[in-house]
Amino acid sequence: QVQLVESGGGLVEPGGSLRLSCAASGRTFSYYSMAWFRQAPGKEREFVAAVTWSDGSTAYADSVKGRFTISRDNAKNTVSLQMNSLKPEDTSVYYCARARRPYVNIATRTSEYEVWGQGTQVTVSS
């Protein structure tokens, strides 16, 4: 079945940038909305950004609007998260996720995603 593998995490200073990548296996990647979530120690997993399966429409959490950009490359079966102007509060494990069903609109709830990557650590600190 489909699997997701995140990469690109690491340590960056406040104000810096980082680009995360999620590689997906399978042949139906283009039919599913994709999203990024994050989870800090002791906290619940929270929505970060999503991109629709159809026209590339995006949605962002208020905390990252104007700083993060989600994109997808269906030919390469990848989805990326460009993170700029990083803040210490962005420190989390970031997860890539695929929607439960194809051909659905953008979703922002964890329950609406079925396939998850193992996560990549992002640490913003000086």
PDB file of all heavy atoms in Angstrom, residues 61-92:
ATOM      1  N   ALA A  61      -2.867  26.847   8.520  1.00  0.00           N
ATOM      2  CA  ALA A  61      -3.179  27.243   9.875  1.00  0.00           C
ATOM      3  C   ALA A  61      -2.828  28.716  10.038  1.00  0.00           C
ATOM      4  O   ALA A  61      -1.886  29.215   9.415  1.00  0.00           O
ATOM      5  CB  ALA A  61      -2.398  26.398  10.874  1.00  0.00           C
ATOM      6  N   ASP A  62      -3.585  29.409  10.868  1.00  0.00           N
ATOM      7  CA  ASP A  62      -3.339  30.831  11.066  1.00  0.00           C
ATOM      8  C   ASP A  62      -1.910  31.110  11.535  1.00  0.00           C
ATOM      9  O   ASP A  62      -1.321  32.138  11.186  1.00  0.00           O
ATOM     10  CB  ASP A  62      -4.326  31.401  12.086  1.00  0.00           C
ATOM     11  CG  ASP A  62      -5.740  31.486  11.550  1.00  0.00           C
ATOM     12  OD1 ASP A  62      -5.917  31.465  10.317  1.00  0.00           O
ATOM     13  OD2 ASP A  62      -6.675  31.581  12.365  1.00  0.00           O
ATOM     14  N   SER A  63      -1.350  30.202  12.291  1.00  0.00           N
ATOM     15  CA  SER A  63      -0.033  30.405  12.859  1.00  0.00           C
ATOM     16  C   SER A  63       1.094  30.389  11.830  1.00  0.00           C
ATOM     17  O   SER A  63       2.199  30.857  12.115  1.00  0.00           O
ATOM     18  CB  SER A  63       0.244  29.341  13.930  1.00  0.00           C
ATOM     19  OG  SER A  63       0.176  28.043  13.380  1.00  0.00           O
ATOM     20  N   VAL A  64       0.817  29.866  10.636  1.00  0.00           N
ATOM     21  CA  VAL A  64       1.870  29.765   9.624  1.00  0.00           C
ATOM     22  C   VAL A  64       1.564  30.536   8.348  1.00  0.00           C
ATOM     23  O   VAL A  64       2.402  30.577   7.440  1.00  0.00           O
ATOM     24  CB  VAL A  64       2.169  28.294   9.268  1.00  0.00           C
ATOM     25  CG1 VAL A  64       2.498  27.497  10.521  1.00  0.00           C
ATOM     26  CG2 VAL A  64       0.998  27.664   8.520  1.00  0.00           C
ATOM     27  N   LYS A  65       0.406  31.157   8.260  1.00  0.00           N
ATOM     28  CA  LYS A  65       0.043  31.911   7.064  1.00  0.00           C
ATOM     29  C   LYS A  65       1.063  33.007   6.783  1.00  0.00           C
ATOM     30  O   LYS A  65       1.474  33.736   7.672  1.00  0.00           O
ATOM     31  CB  LYS A  65      -1.343  32.530   7.230  1.00  0.00           C
ATOM     32  CG  LYS A  65      -2.484  31.546   7.102  1.00  0.00           C
ATOM     33  CD  LYS A  65      -3.829  32.244   7.226  1.00  0.00           C
ATOM     34  CE  LYS A  65      -4.977  31.263   7.070  1.00  0.00           C
ATOM     35  NZ  LYS A  65      -6.292  31.921   7.237  1.00  0.00           N
ATOM     36  N   GLY A  66       1.450  33.095   5.526  1.00  0.00           N
ATOM     37  CA  GLY A  66       2.420  34.088   5.123  1.00  0.00           C
ATOM     38  C   GLY A  66       3.853  33.659   5.306  1.00  0.00           C
ATOM     39  O   GLY A  66       4.771  34.329   4.815  1.00  0.00           O
ATOM     40  N   ARG A  67       4.072  32.549   6.006  1.00  0.00           N
ATOM     41  CA  ARG A  67       5.428  32.068   6.246  1.00  0.00           C
ATOM     42  C   ARG A  67       5.693  30.710   5.594  1.00  0.00           C
ATOM     43  O   ARG A  67       6.811  30.451   5.144  1.00  0.00           O
ATOM     44  CB  ARG A  67       5.697  31.949   7.747  1.00  0.00           C
ATOM     45  CG  ARG A  67       5.577  33.270   8.495  1.00  0.00           C
ATOM     46  CD  ARG A  67       6.070  33.134   9.932  1.00  0.00           C
ATOM     47  NE  ARG A  67       5.277  32.174  10.696  1.00  0.00           N
ATOM     48  CZ  ARG A  67       5.760  31.071  11.251  1.00  0.00           C
ATOM     49  NH1 ARG A  67       7.059  30.784  11.133  1.00  0.00           N
ATOM     50  NH2 ARG A  67       4.979  30.252  11.935  1.00  0.00           N
ATOM     51  N   PHE A  68       4.684  29.860   5.566  1.00  0.00           N
ATOM     52  CA  PHE A  68       4.831  28.515   5.006  1.00  0.00           C
ATOM     53  C   PHE A  68       4.113  28.414   3.670  1.00  0.00           C
ATOM     54  O   PHE A  68       3.081  29.056   3.452  1.00  0.00           O
ATOM     55  CB  PHE A  68       4.241  27.465   5.945  1.00  0.00           C
ATOM     56  CG  PHE A  68       5.004  27.247   7.222  1.00  0.00           C
ATOM     57  CD1 PHE A  68       6.040  28.088   7.603  1.00  0.00           C
ATOM     58  CD2 PHE A  68       4.681  26.182   8.046  1.00  0.00           C
ATOM     59  CE1 PHE A  68       6.737  27.886   8.784  1.00  0.00           C
ATOM     60  CE2 PHE A  68       5.368  25.962   9.224  1.00  0.00           C
ATOM     61  CZ  PHE A  68       6.392  26.815   9.600  1.00  0.00           C
ATOM     62  N   THR A  69       4.633  27.576   2.792  1.00  0.00           N
ATOM     63  CA  THR A  69       4.005  27.320   1.505  1.00  0.00           C
ATOM     64  C   THR A  69       4.025  25.827   1.210  1.00  0.00           C
ATOM     65  O   THR A  69       5.089  25.214   1.209  1.00  0.00           O
ATOM     66  CB  THR A  69       4.721  28.061   0.362  1.00  0.00           C
ATOM     67  OG1 THR A  69       4.728  29.465   0.618  1.00  0.00           O
ATOM     68  CG2 THR A  69       4.010  27.801  -0.963  1.00  0.00           C
ATOM     69  N   ILE A  70       2.852  25.265   0.973  1.00  0.00           N
ATOM     70  CA  ILE A  70       2.758  23.859   0.620  1.00  0.00           C
ATOM     71  C   ILE A  70       2.614  23.740  -0.892  1.00  0.00           C
ATOM     72  O   ILE A  70       1.964  24.560  -1.535  1.00  0.00           O
ATOM     73  CB  ILE A  70       1.573  23.169   1.330  1.00  0.00           C
ATOM     74  CG1 ILE A  70       1.600  21.655   1.088  1.00  0.00           C
ATOM     75  CG2 ILE A  70       0.241  23.760   0.890  1.00  0.00           C
ATOM     76  CD1 ILE A  70       0.581  20.881   1.919  1.00  0.00           C
ATOM     77  N   SER A  71       3.227  22.730  -1.457  1.00  0.00           N
ATOM     78  CA  SER A  71       3.135  22.493  -2.891  1.00  0.00           C
ATOM     79  C   SER A  71       3.260  21.008  -3.165  1.00  0.00           C
ATOM     80  O   SER A  71       3.705  20.242  -2.306  1.00  0.00           O
ATOM     81  CB  SER A  71       4.217  23.275  -3.642  1.00  0.00           C
ATOM     82  OG  SER A  71       5.513  22.865  -3.236  1.00  0.00           O
ATOM     83  N   ARG A  72       2.861  20.612  -4.362  1.00  0.00           N
ATOM     84  CA  ARG A  72       2.966  19.208  -4.725  1.00  0.00           C
ATOM     85  C   ARG A  72       3.450  19.067  -6.164  1.00  0.00           C
ATOM     86  O   ARG A  72       3.222  19.931  -7.007  1.00  0.00           O
ATOM     87  CB  ARG A  72       1.623  18.485  -4.547  1.00  0.00           C
ATOM     88  CG  ARG A  72       0.518  18.946  -5.482  1.00  0.00           C
ATOM     89  CD  ARG A  72      -0.836  18.386  -5.046  1.00  0.00           C
ATOM     90  NE  ARG A  72      -0.845  16.938  -5.033  1.00  0.00           N
ATOM     91  CZ  ARG A  72      -1.767  16.194  -4.401  1.00  0.00           C
ATOM     92  NH1 ARG A  72      -2.737  16.797  -3.711  1.00  0.00           N
ATOM     93  NH2 ARG A  72      -1.693  14.879  -4.455  1.00  0.00           N
ATOM     94  N   ASP A  73       4.111  17.963  -6.416  1.00  0.00           N
ATOM     95  CA  ASP A  73       4.585  17.629  -7.744  1.00  0.00           C
ATOM     96  C   ASP A  73       4.105  16.214  -8.019  1.00  0.00           C
ATOM     97  O   ASP A  73       4.732  15.245  -7.590  1.00  0.00           O
ATOM     98  CB  ASP A  73       6.102  17.722  -7.823  1.00  0.00           C
ATOM     99  CG  ASP A  73       6.624  17.543  -9.234  1.00  0.00           C
ATOM    100  OD1 ASP A  73       5.950  16.895 -10.055  1.00  0.00           O
ATOM    101  OD2 ASP A  73       7.721  18.049  -9.533  1.00  0.00           O
ATOM    102  N   ASN A  74       2.987  16.105  -8.707  1.00  0.00           N
ATOM    103  CA  ASN A  74       2.391  14.800  -8.933  1.00  0.00           C
ATOM    104  C   ASN A  74       3.257  13.894  -9.809  1.00  0.00           C
ATOM    105  O   ASN A  74       3.223  12.675  -9.667  1.00  0.00           O
ATOM    106  CB  ASN A  74       1.007  14.952  -9.557  1.00  0.00           C
ATOM    107  CG  ASN A  74       0.002  15.541  -8.595  1.00  0.00           C
ATOM    108  OD1 ASN A  74       0.151  15.440  -7.375  1.00  0.00           O
ATOM    109  ND2 ASN A  74      -1.046  16.155  -9.128  1.00  0.00           N
ATOM    110  N   ALA A  75       4.013  14.490 -10.703  1.00  0.00           N
ATOM    111  CA  ALA A  75       4.885  13.704 -11.563  1.00  0.00           C
ATOM    112  C   ALA A  75       5.966  12.997 -10.757  1.00  0.00           C
ATOM    113  O   ALA A  75       6.417  11.911 -11.123  1.00  0.00           O
ATOM    114  CB  ALA A  75       5.516  14.585 -12.638  1.00  0.00           C
ATOM    115  N   LYS A  76       6.386  13.618  -9.671  1.00  0.00           N
ATOM    116  CA  LYS A  76       7.421  13.046  -8.820  1.00  0.00           C
ATOM    117  C   LYS A  76       6.868  12.391  -7.562  1.00  0.00           C
ATOM    118  O   LYS A  76       7.629  11.876  -6.747  1.00  0.00           O
ATOM    119  CB  LYS A  76       8.429  14.122  -8.426  1.00  0.00           C
ATOM    120  CG  LYS A  76       9.187  14.720  -9.594  1.00  0.00           C
ATOM    121  CD  LYS A  76      10.173  15.768  -9.121  1.00  0.00           C
ATOM    122  CE  LYS A  76      10.955  16.353 -10.275  1.00  0.00           C
ATOM    123  NZ  LYS A  76      11.915  17.392  -9.823  1.00  0.00           N
ATOM    124  N   ASN A  77       5.561  12.446  -7.396  1.00  0.00           N
ATOM    125  CA  ASN A  77       4.913  11.879  -6.205  1.00  0.00           C
ATOM    126  C   ASN A  77       5.481  12.483  -4.919  1.00  0.00           C
ATOM    127  O   ASN A  77       5.822  11.771  -3.975  1.00  0.00           O
ATOM    128  CB  ASN A  77       5.059  10.361  -6.170  1.00  0.00           C
ATOM    129  CG  ASN A  77       4.036   9.653  -7.034  1.00  0.00           C
ATOM    130  OD1 ASN A  77       3.278  10.272  -7.770  1.00  0.00           O
ATOM    131  ND2 ASN A  77       4.012   8.331  -6.950  1.00  0.00           N
ATOM    132  N   THR A  78       5.580  13.793  -4.906  1.00  0.00           N
ATOM    133  CA  THR A  78       6.101  14.471  -3.731  1.00  0.00           C
ATOM    134  C   THR A  78       5.226  15.654  -3.339  1.00  0.00           C
ATOM    135  O   THR A  78       4.534  16.242  -4.168  1.00  0.00           O
ATOM    136  CB  THR A  78       7.530  14.989  -3.949  1.00  0.00           C
ATOM    137  OG1 THR A  78       7.540  15.902  -5.056  1.00  0.00           O
ATOM    138  CG2 THR A  78       8.494  13.847  -4.224  1.00  0.00           C
ATOM    139  N   VAL A  79       5.273  15.983  -2.068  1.00  0.00           N
ATOM    140  CA  VAL A  79       4.638  17.182  -1.553  1.00  0.00           C
ATOM    141  C   VAL A  79       5.663  17.861  -0.654  1.00  0.00           C
ATOM    142  O   VAL A  79       6.390  17.187   0.086  1.00  0.00           O
ATOM    143  CB  VAL A  79       3.333  16.860  -0.790  1.00  0.00           C
ATOM    144  CG1 VAL A  79       3.591  15.926   0.381  1.00  0.00           C
ATOM    145  CG2 VAL A  79       2.659  18.141  -0.317  1.00  0.00           C
ATOM    146  N   SER A  80       5.753  19.170  -0.748  1.00  0.00           N
ATOM    147  CA  SER A  80       6.768  19.907  -0.015  1.00  0.00           C
ATOM    148  C   SER A  80       6.150  20.962   0.884  1.00  0.00           C
ATOM    149  O   SER A  80       5.014  21.390   0.684  1.00  0.00           O
ATOM    150  CB  SER A  80       7.741  20.576  -0.992  1.00  0.00           C
ATOM    151  OG  SER A  80       8.402  19.616  -1.792  1.00  0.00           O
ATOM    152  N   LEU A  81       6.932  21.367   1.859  1.00  0.00           N
ATOM    153  CA  LEU A  81       6.532  22.451   2.747  1.00  0.00           C
ATOM    154  C   LEU A  81       7.722  23.385   2.884  1.00  0.00           C
ATOM    155  O   LEU A  81       8.716  23.042   3.522  1.00  0.00           O
ATOM    156  CB  LEU A  81       6.105  21.922   4.113  1.00  0.00           C
ATOM    157  CG  LEU A  81       5.569  22.978   5.087  1.00  0.00           C
ATOM    158  CD1 LEU A  81       4.231  23.524   4.595  1.00  0.00           C
ATOM    159  CD2 LEU A  81       5.422  22.392   6.489  1.00  0.00           C
ATOM    160  N   GLN A  82       7.618  24.543   2.263  1.00  0.00           N
ATOM    161  CA  GLN A  82       8.646  25.560   2.381  1.00  0.00           C
ATOM    162  C   GLN A  82       8.340  26.406   3.601  1.00  0.00           C
ATOM    163  O   GLN A  82       7.272  27.016   3.688  1.00  0.00           O
ATOM    164  CB  GLN A  82       8.687  26.439   1.131  1.00  0.00           C
ATOM    165  CG  GLN A  82       9.712  27.567   1.180  1.00  0.00           C
ATOM    166  CD  GLN A  82      11.135  27.063   1.218  1.00  0.00           C
ATOM    167  OE1 GLN A  82      11.503  26.173   0.465  1.00  0.00           O
ATOM    168  NE2 GLN A  82      11.944  27.626   2.115  1.00  0.00           N
ATOM    169  N   MET A  83       9.257  26.451   4.539  1.00  0.00           N
ATOM    170  CA  MET A  83       9.053  27.159   5.790  1.00  0.00           C
ATOM    171  C   MET A  83      10.043  28.314   5.875  1.00  0.00           C
ATOM    172  O   MET A  83      11.254  28.099   5.901  1.00  0.00           O
ATOM    173  CB  MET A  83       9.220  26.221   6.980  1.00  0.00           C
ATOM    174  CG  MET A  83       8.319  24.991   6.920  1.00  0.00           C
ATOM    175  SD  MET A  83       8.454  23.943   8.394  1.00  0.00           S
ATOM    176  CE  MET A  83      10.140  23.360   8.205  1.00  0.00           C
ATOM    177  N   ASN A  84       9.515  29.516   5.923  1.00  0.00           N
ATOM    178  CA  ASN A  84      10.329  30.717   6.031  1.00  0.00           C
ATOM    179  C   ASN A  84      10.035  31.441   7.336  1.00  0.00           C
ATOM    180  O   ASN A  84       9.013  31.210   7.974  1.00  0.00           O
ATOM    181  CB  ASN A  84      10.061  31.657   4.851  1.00  0.00           C
ATOM    182  CG  ASN A  84      10.401  31.054   3.513  1.00  0.00           C
ATOM    183  OD1 ASN A  84      11.356  30.288   3.380  1.00  0.00           O
ATOM    184  ND2 ASN A  84       9.630  31.411   2.489  1.00  0.00           N
ATOM    185  N   SER A  85      10.928  32.326   7.704  1.00  0.00           N
ATOM    186  CA  SER A  85      10.763  33.116   8.928  1.00  0.00           C
ATOM    187  C   SER A  85      10.413  32.234  10.115  1.00  0.00           C
ATOM    188  O   SER A  85       9.483  32.513  10.878  1.00  0.00           O
ATOM    189  CB  SER A  85       9.685  34.187   8.724  1.00  0.00           C
ATOM    190  OG  SER A  85      10.015  35.051   7.656  1.00  0.00           O
ATOM    191  N   LEU A  86      11.160  31.181  10.273  1.00  0.00           N
ATOM    192  CA  LEU A  86      10.864  30.201  11.310  1.00  0.00           C
ATOM    193  C   LEU A  86      11.006  30.788  12.712  1.00  0.00           C
ATOM    194  O   LEU A  86      11.879  31.618  12.969  1.00  0.00           O
ATOM    195  CB  LEU A  86      11.765  28.987  11.160  1.00  0.00           C
ATOM    196  CG  LEU A  86      11.355  28.049  10.018  1.00  0.00           C
ATOM    197  CD1 LEU A  86      12.493  27.122   9.650  1.00  0.00           C
ATOM    198  CD2 LEU A  86      10.122  27.245  10.429  1.00  0.00           C
ATOM    199  N   LYS A  87      10.130  30.330  13.585  1.00  0.00           N
ATOM    200  CA  LYS A  87      10.100  30.769  14.967  1.00  0.00           C
ATOM    201  C   LYS A  87      10.330  29.574  15.887  1.00  0.00           C
ATOM    202  O   LYS A  87      10.060  28.440  15.507  1.00  0.00           O
ATOM    203  CB  LYS A  87       8.745  31.399  15.292  1.00  0.00           C
ATOM    204  CG  LYS A  87       8.330  32.533  14.373  1.00  0.00           C
ATOM    205  CD  LYS A  87       6.919  32.988  14.692  1.00  0.00           C
ATOM    206  CE  LYS A  87       6.473  34.111  13.772  1.00  0.00           C
ATOM    207  NZ  LYS A  87       5.086  34.544  14.071  1.00  0.00           N
ATOM    208  N   PRO A  88      10.807  29.823  17.106  1.00  0.00           N
ATOM    209  CA  PRO A  88      11.006  28.717  18.043  1.00  0.00           C
ATOM    210  C   PRO A  88       9.740  27.891  18.253  1.00  0.00           C
ATOM    211  O   PRO A  88       9.831  26.670  18.442  1.00  0.00           O
ATOM    212  CB  PRO A  88      11.427  29.426  19.333  1.00  0.00           C
ATOM    213  CG  PRO A  88      12.125  30.651  18.855  1.00  0.00           C
ATOM    214  CD  PRO A  88      11.325  31.090  17.645  1.00  0.00           C
ATOM    215  N   GLU A  89       8.577  28.517  18.209  1.00  0.00           N
ATOM    216  CA  GLU A  89       7.330  27.803  18.396  1.00  0.00           C
ATOM    217  C   GLU A  89       6.977  26.879  17.240  1.00  0.00           C
ATOM    218  O   GLU A  89       6.021  26.108  17.324  1.00  0.00           O
ATOM    219  CB  GLU A  89       6.164  28.770  18.661  1.00  0.00           C
ATOM    220  CG  GLU A  89       6.074  29.910  17.672  1.00  0.00           C
ATOM    221  CD  GLU A  89       6.732  31.176  18.179  1.00  0.00           C
ATOM    222  OE1 GLU A  89       7.856  31.088  18.719  1.00  0.00           O
ATOM    223  OE2 GLU A  89       6.119  32.250  18.054  1.00  0.00           O
ATOM    224  N   ASP A  90       7.732  26.960  16.153  1.00  0.00           N
ATOM    225  CA  ASP A  90       7.543  26.035  15.043  1.00  0.00           C
ATOM    226  C   ASP A  90       8.223  24.693  15.305  1.00  0.00           C
ATOM    227  O   ASP A  90       8.063  23.755  14.523  1.00  0.00           O
ATOM    228  CB  ASP A  90       8.090  26.623  13.743  1.00  0.00           C
ATOM    229  CG  ASP A  90       7.316  27.841  13.277  1.00  0.00           C
ATOM    230  OD1 ASP A  90       6.069  27.829  13.378  1.00  0.00           O
ATOM    231  OD2 ASP A  90       7.950  28.803  12.799  1.00  0.00           O
ATOM    232  N   THR A  91       8.999  24.621  16.363  1.00  0.00           N
ATOM    233  CA  THR A  91       9.698  23.386  16.706  1.00  0.00           C
ATOM    234  C   THR A  91       8.697  22.266  16.956  1.00  0.00           C
ATOM    235  O   THR A  91       7.838  22.370  17.834  1.00  0.00           O
ATOM    236  CB  THR A  91      10.577  23.587  17.944  1.00  0.00           C
ATOM    237  OG1 THR A  91      11.601  24.542  17.652  1.00  0.00           O
ATOM    238  CG2 THR A  91      11.229  22.275  18.361  1.00  0.00           C
ATOM    239  N   SER A  92       8.807  21.207  16.179  1.00  0.00           N
ATOM    240  CA  SER A  92       7.885  20.077  16.257  1.00  0.00           C
ATOM    241  C   SER A  92       8.389  18.963  15.363  1.00  0.00           C
ATOM    242  O   SER A  92       9.300  19.164  14.564  1.00  0.00           O
ATOM    243  CB  SER A  92       6.472  20.465  15.787  1.00  0.00           C
ATOM    244  OG  SER A  92       5.757  21.193  16.755  1.00  0.00           O
TER     245      SER A  92
END
